[in-house]
Amino acid sequence: MARWPVKYMSARLYLPGLPCARRAFLSTPGYQSLGTIYTRFNRSLPPTPTFVSRLAHTMAQPVTITVAATGRKITVPTGLFIDNEFVPSVDSKATIDCINPSTEEVICSIVAGSEKDIDAAVAAARKAFKTTWGKNVTGFERSRLINKLADLIERDAQELAELEALNNGKPVKIARDFDIGDSVQCLRYYAGWADKILGQAIEVDNKTKVAFTRHDPIGVCGQIIPWNYPINMWSWKVAPALACGCTIVMKPSEITPLTALKLSELVVEAGFPPGVVNTVPSLGSVGGAALSSHRDVDKVAFTGSTVTGRKIMEAAAKSNLKKVSLELGGKSPHIIFESADLDQAANWVGLGILYNTGQDCTAGSRVFVQDTIYDKFVQLLVEKFKQLKVSDGFDEQAGGGPVVSKMQYDKIFSYIEAGKEQGAKLVLGGEKRPGKGYFVDPTIFVDVKPDMKIARDEIFGPVLSVAKFSSEDEAIELANDTTYGLGAGLHSNDANQCMRVSQALEAGTVWVNQYNLLTNNVPFGGKKQSGIGRELGSYALEEYTSVKAIHWNYGEKLDWPL
């Protein structure tokens, strides 16, 4: 694994000299300068009329970010990606500031899309679906293009990882080796499916009739992805949709939009026709709402909170009853039985709650430990958690970075305070660091009661609640006592117990003697209020196709009148 020097990381934004930059910009393929849009790129300059006028020409131009830790200069698009071009908003002057959570500094500002921009992107996607994609291109060609896109992402893995670390905060090595590595595999997995979208031939009457089914691409898909895994979630949504022949309007999180824009450049380089993939960064209340209620969008896929998922489902129902798949929140249980390998179980508990600094829908945030091993296991957890270094994403020793935003930081600490106030015992962490950055250290509460807020609500941070149980039945009851059902885990060396408990747990994914590892060929999704539909594996293809039954009569004559 490659290593980086441990340096303080920051990013500086370079706004090119406007007259010559504008000339260079206008000659750059894939970029357009349309309209006059005001932006807030450089707050050190006075907001004079001349400055505003000149800045109006810079919207949708790329900016160059320099990563201090590596010296790398990364060129990032700032416009909306519609019809294979980066463009300004049709009607909005709003911008989105992209923040570095390690330093709390602004990395750059990008165009914030409006409802009319969503309309333009949907129109481009619909045109492509009818003309150059959809049923107009073979599965072999779709496979070739998806594989090409995977190759380009693999080529640019280091640059994408550094950009992800800047905007999201996660360690570069984790972004590159895990998130991006998995994303490349995901694209290649679905590239393999592109020419294997099969229907059935169904016997009706061998002398006169036959029936068969077609799995047609569902059409234009609105895809709304979260900020915790920006590149990974992009690939999970894009890969099966493209394999099936759908076109896409992507709405990345307004907190972490930079890598989605950078990936859009690679879509063009890979050779996808204009309009097949479109990217419209915007506020969720604007772009997400517009996609969910749009009457020319055939399907919406969303990963995020249960509260937002309900709103999307309602909007889809009230508009055109579009197909919806939702991967929502979780409060996942993790059960440790007395027969388990305790050292390994502690490692997996650490991965379950500390990976991605706890910002994971399947985070194993509720750990239930059998009473006979409770004290020993808690001590082991404390020792393990202390070994993880939470630091700047360019620190080669870092196993976790800051949480993504000030809002998330404040939310996590509000839950930590609630845990203290409600009587849970804090045995590790729970204190704020001095200085800049949204850093939250690994935190463990023990003797947690089922009715405490930290045991009921999704915290989305590195905060673990530990409770004890006596019997297998009690463990199952405690584990299932939640409105969520995304993930669950158990550790035991009793094979019969593993089978009984895994079948009894109410979750879309159950891990036995491991936790939080997913593979691209195995389906993933939730039960209860953790969502509907499935991602990954062959099951995800069903989310992007509609089944058509064709009845063919080649021998029966109809008598008339009846």
Side-chain angles (χ1 to χ4, degrees):
M1 182 181 294
R3 297 290 182 182
W4 298 266
V6 181
K7 295 180 180 178
Y8 176 78
M9 182 275 296
S10 65
R12 292 177 292 168
L13 172 66
Y14 288 90
L15 190 64
L18 294 178
C20 62
R22 182 167 182 253
R23 287 195 297 272
F25 157 71
L26 289 174
S27 65
T28 302
Y31 289 87
Q32 288 184 344
S33 181
L34 301 174
T36 55
I37 308 296
Y38 172 69
T39 187
R40 307 187 302 272
F41 272 120
N42 191 333
R43 289 162 180 75
S44 65
L45 295 177
T48 62
T50 301
F51 173 66
V52 173
S53 175
R54 294 172 74 191
L55 277 180
H57 295 291
T58 72
M59 289 308 295
Q61 288 197 58
V63 296
T64 300
I65 299 167
T66 297
V67 183
T70 63
R72 182 185 299 274
K73 294 183 185 296
I74 304 175
T75 302
V76 180
T78 64
L80 312 175
F81 182 69
I82 300 175
D83 227 13
N84 275 15
E85 295 183 322
F86 289 95
V87 298
S89 171
V90 172
D91 63 342
S92 173
K93 297 182 179 181
T95 58
I96 296 170
D97 286 341
C98 301
I99 308 296
N100 180 342
S102 289
T103 65
E104 304 180 36
E105 298 173 354
V106 176
I107 302 167
C108 65
S109 298
I110 64 167
V111 177
S114 67
E115 185 175 348
K116 288 186 178 179
D117 296 316
I118 293 291
D119 288 341
V122 171
R126 178 62 64 189
K127 180 181 178 183
F129 184 73
K130 289 182 175 180
T131 58
T132 58
W133 203 248
K135 299 178 184 178
N136 303 289
V137 62
T138 67
F140 302 108
E141 177 65 4
R142 295 197 303 272
S143 178
R144 184 188 70 80
L145 291 171
I146 297 169
N147 272 316
K148 177 63 174 176
L149 180 58
D151 292 344
L152 295 174
I153 293 173
E154 188 172 52
R155 180 197 69 188
D156 294 350
Q158 181 65 29
E159 180 178 78
L160 288 166
E162 292 185 19
L163 187 60
E164 192 89 313
L166 284 177
N167 198 189
N168 171 274
K170 66 180 62 187
V172 171
K173 63 184 181 183
I174 289 177
R176 183 193 63 233
D177 299 340
F178 292 87
D179 291 18
I180 295 172
D182 181 75
S183 297
V184 170
Q185 290 180 4
C186 182
L187 286 162
R188 288 175 176 158
Y189 172 77
Y190 284 106
W193 272 109
D195 59 352
K196 303 173 187 68
I197 309 298
L198 306 175
Q200 296 179 348
I202 303 169
E203 180 182 335
V204 177
D205 183 333
N206 287 331
K207 295 181 179 180
T208 61
K209 294 181 180 179
V210 68
F212 59 93
T213 61
R214 288 181 51 88
H215 290 228
D216 290 337
I218 200 165
V220 175
C221 298
Q223 300 188 320
I224 306 169
I225 58 174
W227 45 256
N228 55 339
Y229 295 99
I231 294 175
N232 219 176
M233 292 298 99
W234 187 92
S235 70
W236 280 24
K237 297 289 189 289
V238 165
L242 293 179
C244 292
C246 298
T247 55
I248 296 164
V249 178
M250 175 67 68
K251 208 295 285 184
S253 168
E254 58 267 37
I255 298 174
T256 55
L258 296 185
T259 47
L261 291 170
K262 195 67 179 172
L263 289 167
S264 299
E265 289 185 326
L266 301 185
V267 167
V268 177
E269 186 177 350
F272 284 88
V276 173
V277 178
N278 305 273
T279 306
V280 184
S282 63
L283 298 179
S285 58
V286 178
L291 280 173
S292 303
S293 60
H294 205 290
R295 293 184 177 274
D296 202 27
V297 170
D298 301 299
K299 184 256 165 64
V300 168
F302 170 73
T303 297
S305 72
T306 299
V307 171
T308 303
R310 286 195 182 97
K311 294 178 181 178
I312 288 171
M313 202 165 185
E314 180 182 7
K318 287 182 175 179
S319 53
N320 60 343
L321 276 175
K322 60 177 65 66
K323 191 171 186 175
V324 175
S325 59
L326 305 171
E327 194 262 278
L328 306 177
K331 192 67 179 175
S332 300
H334 203 163
I335 305 171
I336 315 300
F337 289 101
E338 60 187 356
S339 67
D341 179 331
L342 298 189
D343 187 73
Q344 273 298 298
N347 288 345
W348 288 108
V349 168
L351 183 72
I353 188 62
L354 300 182
Y355 187 71
N356 211 40
T357 320
Q359 299 168 120
D360 194 307
C361 294
T362 57
S365 54
R366 296 184 299 140
V367 168
F368 300 104
V369 185
Q370 197 149 18
D371 51 8
T372 54
I373 56 169
Y374 184 81
D375 293 337
K376 179 180 181 180
F377 192 72
V378 167
Q379 183 180 357
L380 190 56
L381 281 181
V382 171
E383 293 172 0
K384 297 279 188 181
F385 279 36
K386 285 180 178 179
Q387 295 170 10
L388 184 80
K389 184 176 183 180
V390 177
S391 182
D392 176 85
F394 288 81
D395 183 340
E396 65 177 3
Q397 302 300 321
V403 297
V404 75
S405 67
K406 180 67 161 59
M407 180 184 296
Q408 190 64 18
Y409 177 84
D410 290 341
K411 175 189 171 185
I412 292 167
F413 273 103
S414 73
Y415 276 107
I416 290 173
E417 291 307 310
K420 295 175 183 178
E421 292 169 3
Q422 291 185 325
K425 183 180 178 182
L426 183 67
V427 296
L428 184 69
E431 301 297 329
K432 293 184 178 181
R433 294 185 184 183
K436 291 285 189 178
Y438 307 129
F439 295 99
V440 183
D441 290 313
T443 299
I444 300 175
F445 283 99
V446 299
D447 301 337
V448 176
K449 306 302 180 186
D451 59 347
M452 292 180 177
K453 285 186 68 176
I454 58 173
R456 307 302 302 178
D457 297 353
E458 184 179 38
I459 300 173
F460 228 63
V463 181
L464 184 67
S465 298
V466 185
K468 67 177 66 173
F469 69 90
S470 298
S471 67
E472 181 181 306
D473 288 343
E474 183 187 6
I476 293 168
E477 183 178 357
L478 288 168
N480 289 339
D481 182 22
T482 175
T483 59
Y484 296 109
L486 192 57
L490 68 118
H491 293 263
S492 170
N493 279 326
D494 181 337
N496 292 335
Q497 183 175 64
C498 290
M499 186 60 72
R500 288 192 304 269
V501 176
S502 63
Q503 292 191 47
L505 290 173
E506 297 171 355
T509 296
V510 177
W511 288 280
V512 179
N513 293 327
Q514 60 175 331
Y515 198 88
N516 233 13
L517 295 185
L518 300 171
T519 56
N520 289 302
N521 58 345
V522 179
F524 174 73
K527 299 178 70 171
K528 298 193 276 189
Q529 293 186 38
S530 288
I532 55 175
R534 289 294 180 268
E535 307 212 66
L536 302 181
S538 62
Y539 292 83
L541 302 171
E542 299 173 10
E543 306 296 336
Y544 294 96
T545 56
S546 61
V547 179
K548 178 188 294 181
I550 299 174
H551 297 259
W552 191 343
N553 172 24
Y554 57 86
E556 182 185 29
K557 303 299 182 182
L558 178 65
D559 294 330
W560 194 263
L562 297 176

